[in-house]
Amino acid sequence: MSAVSVFGLSKSFGHLRVLKDIHLPIETGDFTVLLGPSGCGKSTLLNAIAGLEDTDAGIVEIDGADVTHREPSKRGIAMVFQSYALYPTMSVRKNLSFGLRVRSVPRQEVARRVHWAAKLLQIDELLDRKPSQLSGGQRQRVAIGRALVQQAKVFLFDEPLSNLDAKLRTEMRVELKRLHKDLGATIVYVTHDQIEAMTLATRIAVMRAGRIEQYATPDDLYEEPATLFVAAFVGSPAMNFMPGRLISSTVHIGSARLPLNGYRFRSSPMNGQEVVLGIRPEHVQLAPEGQLEAETLFMEPMGADTLGWFQFGEHRLSARLVPQVARGLSGTVRLSLLADHVSLFDPSTEARL
Amino acid sequence: MSARLPVAVGTASPPSQSAESVAVAPMVGRAYRTRSRAAKIALVPTIAIMLGFYYASISWTVYISMTRSFLLPIYKFAGAAQYERLFATPRWHVAYSNMFLFGVLDIIGTLGLGVLLAVLLDRAVRFEGLFRTIMLYPLSISFIVTGLTWQWVLSPTIGVQHFVRDLGWDGFVFDWITQPDRAIYTLAFAGVWHQSGLIMAIMLAGLRGVDREIWRAARIEGIPTWRTYISIVLPMLRPLIVTCLVLIAIAVVRSYDLVVAMTNGGPGFSSDLPGKFVVDFEFERANIGQASAAATVMLGSMLAVISPYLYFELARKNR
């Protein structure tokens, strides 16, 4: 059974349609990330699931029950906010327990849950402090703790790590992953950071302009992006794109020929069809017998590997290189594109071929 | 040392601030010193005025209250004689206790009504602009006009009582302003009417500044709206509430024009307030000794009420 199901959800602000007929089934125990650039509607979708935002059409089900018209507190959810939204005048302990006490959960039960959450998040020594006396990372833990003590069926996270610095963000990412593994909780998580999405998610829904472009596992998303937008948005450094023409299972790009062996076409393309070929930098390699002849432009060292930039005709191509090899590189080189890893898109529909 | 002055203002800087001032020190140079000198020179007139007119006058008043001055100042020290006489004056007792009664009613009424109006406006956003203007309007009227208007409205012969009787309820009585034991309440009522708009505006600005995600978090946790206000949002606005409290308290202590216009301290001395007492003794009865003693007691009471509160607030902030 799905933990959360969204059917045909639509929402407009005046003339602006922020959500367009969204369908999203989320399985119990999934870590689902809603990923997209700002303004794509991901936060609105999360708020609609939470019940903080009214919708124009569609149904939201949580744990099998239709909750479309229920108050947020009656939906069996807990939420962590970007600004943490801790109650500043209350101690950490009070922050965790206040909501439960208001809903008349017995005092002993409250104490038990607070103790459990504090232990799990390693904030038991901070329980008597005020939020203003905590660091960003500690505040984030308290905010997560406040969600955990609710013992909700679904946990919603609205860009929870975007206020943290880079190092802390990496730490908290690992922490979140551990929590998900230990608790087996169902999580819906909003972010615009594709690395966060790739590392945390069991499934990612990439959104753009109020629609879900692709809903798949991180691996599928990375290896077989369904649209040009997903291909360009996911992955860092970004995928290379070159326009070409498909003639009898071979892609012609300028003078170069790239035979496609075993490319799994989703539809049967026409002979001579225009295509956009996408290939990730790690699938572009230096090879003496490579299909392309290109000029070396410059190198971007990234530590573990170096991103090399090459000019091929009018296109600029990046390749992930071994630093030692990249260091001595200059002039004209030959590049090989690994045909098993290319993606082809229809330039008019932007969909994967 | 002088270079560190701008950071260490308030001299008794807490440990956390002194660390900052050390960090700032390296960027301090000659240019900075010149600039700080210019700033100090610019402050001289203000400081001179403060010292000359404000603190010197206060000191003079306090000293005169300890002499036997009557019509003209006499500078021979006479201890607490004026105070003994002051506290033997029945009118002073009425005025002084009225200040507390008026103060408590005015503070509770103004703060309560102001906060309540702000919360209501914060909830029902629709006519906010209109309501805010209406509620703030009384503040643009002087205390004199406020006092006169309410005097007319509350007067039994021309105001509400007269109006209701004309409608047919012949037995209707509403004459608090003419009753010695009730007149002070009408003063408090007019004070609340005059000031609650200001408190509302200040509190509304504060309420609007509260992070929306706090409200969302509370809603998801199922905390009712009224509970969110009382337990979460209003405690967050504590510094603003303190500011309002100080504003109202100052208005209470200095209130003179309202009394003069509305009841003129009457009937008898029943609605007298210390401000009016001081002015009457100083200028009408030409008794500067008694007036100074009364003024000094006002100052002392004010300090006694305000200072523990300020002390706690500052201590909280420094912690």
Side-chain angles (χ1 to χ4, degrees):
Chain A
M1 188 175 55
S2 294
V4 181
S5 295
V6 176
F7 301 108
L9 204 66
S10 294
K11 164 86 181 168
S12 308
F13 290 119
H15 291 296
L16 185 70
R17 295 184 63 203
V18 263
L19 295 179
K20 299 168 189 164
D21 195 26
I22 299 272
H23 291 267
L24 185 72
I26 295 168
E27 296 304 314
T28 306
D30 260 0
F31 197 128
T32 300
V33 171
L34 307 179
L35 175 68
S38 52
C40 71
K42 56 190 190 299
S43 285
T44 312
L45 176 56
L46 191 79
N47 285 336
I49 294 173
L52 292 170
E53 201 107 56
D54 291 332
T55 51
D56 302 337
I59 294 171
V60 178
E61 285 185 0
I62 292 176
D63 205 25
D66 181 353
V67 297
T68 316
H69 301 291
R70 271 195 216 164
E71 265 293 295
S73 55
K74 301 271 192 298
R75 292 186 174 206
I77 52 158
M79 193 159 172
V80 177
F81 295 87
Q82 181 176 1
S83 67
Y84 319 136
L86 299 178
Y87 310 137
T89 53
M90 296 182 183
S91 67
V92 169
R93 188 191 305 279
K94 194 87 187 288
N95 261 285
L96 296 183
S97 61
F98 185 66
L100 298 177
R101 288 300 299 152
V102 167
R103 275 181 288 144
S104 0
V105 176
R107 199 174 291 273
Q108 281 180 338
E109 172 67 9
V110 173
R112 197 187 61 75
R113 288 197 207 172
V114 169
H115 180 73
W116 165 77
K119 201 95 187 155
L120 194 65
L121 293 160
Q122 291 146 21
I123 50 171
D124 21 9
E125 271 151 38
L126 310 174
L127 281 176
D128 294 314
R129 297 218 202 145
K130 290 274 173 69
S132 57
Q133 297 165 307
L134 304 179
S135 69
Q138 290 170 332
R139 280 180 213 188
Q140 185 60 75
R141 282 163 196 271
V142 176
I144 295 171
R146 193 175 59 184
L148 287 185
V149 295
Q150 313 285 321
Q151 301 197 333
K153 299 183 188 101
V154 180
F155 294 91
L156 308 178
F157 287 77
D158 190 2
E159 308 216 17
L161 304 186
S162 54
N163 282 1
L164 301 177
D165 62 47
K167 185 167 173 290
L168 212 52
R169 203 178 305 166
T170 319
E171 277 174 34
M172 284 307 290
R173 225 160 59 197
V174 175
E175 192 84 338
L176 278 175
K177 193 134 186 153
R178 178 182 71 90
L179 269 178
H180 176 244
K181 196 160 159 271
D182 289 358
L183 300 174
T186 309
I187 294 176
V188 186
Y189 186 107
V190 163
T191 183
H192 59 266
D193 181 345
Q194 48 104 6
I195 296 177
E196 223 167 277
M198 292 293 285
T199 49
L200 286 172
T202 57
R203 281 174 90 79
I204 300 177
V206 181
M207 293 185 67
R208 177 201 192 186
R211 285 207 169 83
I212 293 181
E213 293 260 316
Q214 187 172 6
Y215 182 42
T217 65
D219 292 344
D220 285 350
L221 209 65
Y222 191 77
E223 286 157 16
E224 289 189 17
T227 65
L228 259 179
F229 175 79
V230 174
F233 195 78
V234 174
S236 169
M239 195 183 244
N240 296 298
F241 296 105
M242 287 178 289
R245 194 175 285 278
L246 184 67
I247 301 169
S248 60
S249 286
T250 302
V251 182
H252 295 236
I253 305 166
S255 57
R257 303 282 177 271
L258 181 68
L260 297 173
N261 307 323
Y263 181 82
R264 282 176 296 164
F265 282 102
R266 295 192 171 182
S267 54
S268 35
M270 291 177 299
N271 207 24
Q273 171 160 16
E274 303 251 356
V275 295
V276 173
L277 178 139
I279 186 151
R280 298 212 176 267
E282 58 265 38
H283 302 134
V284 179
Q285 292 179 344
L286 289 167
E289 72 287 2
Q291 304 100 328
L292 315 180
E293 196 176 72
E295 292 295 319
T296 310
L297 290 172
F298 48 83
M299 297 293 146
E300 282 187 290
M302 299 193 302
D305 37 33
T306 296
L307 196 65
W309 287 89
F310 305 94
Q311 190 78 34
F312 164 65
E314 61 207 37
H315 310 298
R316 195 171 270 191
L317 260 178
S318 65
R320 212 185 261 266
L321 304 172
V322 180
Q324 289 77 4
V325 176
R327 242 167 253 151
L329 217 55
S330 68
T332 309
V333 295
R334 289 205 78 86
L335 298 173
S336 143
L337 311 183
L338 301 186
D340 292 351
H341 297 284
V342 300
S343 295
L344 295 180
F345 302 97
D346 183 332
S348 56
T349 63
E350 298 196 353
R352 185 182 184 87
L353 283 172
Chain B
M1 182 59 219
S2 71
R4 272 170 55 180
L5 199 66
V7 184
V9 160
T11 50
S13 67
S16 65
Q17 277 190 10
S18 63
E20 259 174 77
S21 65
V22 171
V24 168
M27 69 160 232
V28 171
R30 216 170 127 197
Y32 187 90
R33 226 167 294 145
T34 324
R35 209 173 54 184
S36 110
R37 192 183 307 143
K40 280 176 203 157
I41 291 171
L43 276 176
V44 165
T46 315
I47 293 171
I49 289 170
M50 286 283 286
L51 287 179
F53 290 88
Y54 204 70
Y55 291 103
S57 303
I58 292 175
S59 314
W60 189 82
T61 306
V62 171
Y63 183 75
I64 288 296
S65 75
M66 291 182 283
T67 66
R68 290 198 183 279
S69 305
F70 191 77
L71 186 60
L72 293 169
I74 300 163
Y75 294 103
K76 190 163 171 291
F77 185 76
Q82 294 285 7
Y83 293 95
E84 280 162 26
R85 225 185 107 197
L86 179 69
F87 279 95
T89 311
R91 183 182 162 184
W92 170 252
H93 278 283
V94 174
Y96 193 58
S97 54
N98 268 350
M99 181 176 79
F100 289 99
L101 183 58
F102 176 70
V104 168
L105 289 174
D106 197 43
I107 287 173
I108 292 176
T110 309
L111 205 58
L113 189 63
V115 171
L116 186 70
L117 288 172
V119 166
L120 290 179
L121 271 194
D122 189 40
R123 288 282 99 192
V125 193
R126 195 167 300 185
F127 302 111
E128 185 193 328
L130 178 69
F131 276 117
R132 208 171 38 195
T133 312
I134 294 176
M135 303 298 176
L136 267 178
Y137 195 68
L139 200 72
S140 67
I141 305 173
S142 73
F143 266 123
I144 298 284
V145 177
T146 306
L148 270 180
T149 311
W150 281 107
Q151 188 202 336
W152 292 335
V153 172
L154 297 174
S155 157
T157 49
I158 54 172
V160 174
Q161 178 180 323
H162 181 71
F163 177 74
V164 176
R165 282 187 181 181
D166 276 2
L167 287 179
W169 285 278
D170 282 337
F172 182 79
V173 178
F174 184 65
D175 56 354
W176 281 25
I177 200 166
T178 60
Q179 304 244 355
D181 56 341
R182 297 272 168 82
I184 188 72
Y185 296 104
T186 63
L187 278 180
F189 176 80
V192 170
W193 179 83
H194 188 258
Q195 282 196 301
S196 46
L198 173 70
I199 304 306
M200 178 206 73
I202 294 174
M203 292 305 293
L204 186 60
L207 289 174
R208 284 294 146 79
V210 171
D211 183 0
R212 278 183 63 221
E213 291 199 334
I214 296 240
W215 277 104
R216 295 167 151 228
R219 205 172 145 203
I220 283 193
E221 285 202 81
I223 302 168
T225 305
W226 65 270
R227 194 71 200 265
T228 311
Y229 272 115
I230 290 177
S231 300
I232 299 168
V233 173
L234 289 178
M236 283 170 70
L237 300 183
R238 189 192 165 98
L240 268 192
I241 296 178
V242 172
T243 307
C244 290
L245 211 66
V246 170
L247 282 178
I248 307 171
I250 289 171
V252 165
V253 174
R254 70 160 190 218
S255 53
Y256 167 73
D257 30 13
L258 183 68
V259 199
V260 171
M262 201 163 152
T263 63
N264 200 20
F269 297 127
S270 62
S271 61
D272 205 5
L273 284 175
K276 182 164 160 36
F277 182 95
V278 170
V279 176
D280 279 0
F281 270 77
E282 185 97 45
F283 297 106
E284 281 174 25
R285 303 195 177 188
N287 185 342
I288 58 173
Q290 280 294 284
S292 298
T296 307
V297 173
M298 274 172 75
L299 176 70
S301 328
M302 193 66 197
L303 288 179
V305 172
I306 294 277
S307 49
Y309 212 81
L310 287 183
Y311 178 79
F312 276 123
E313 281 304 313
L314 290 177
R316 274 168 60 91
K317 221 166 277 170
N318 286 343
R319 208 183 327 132

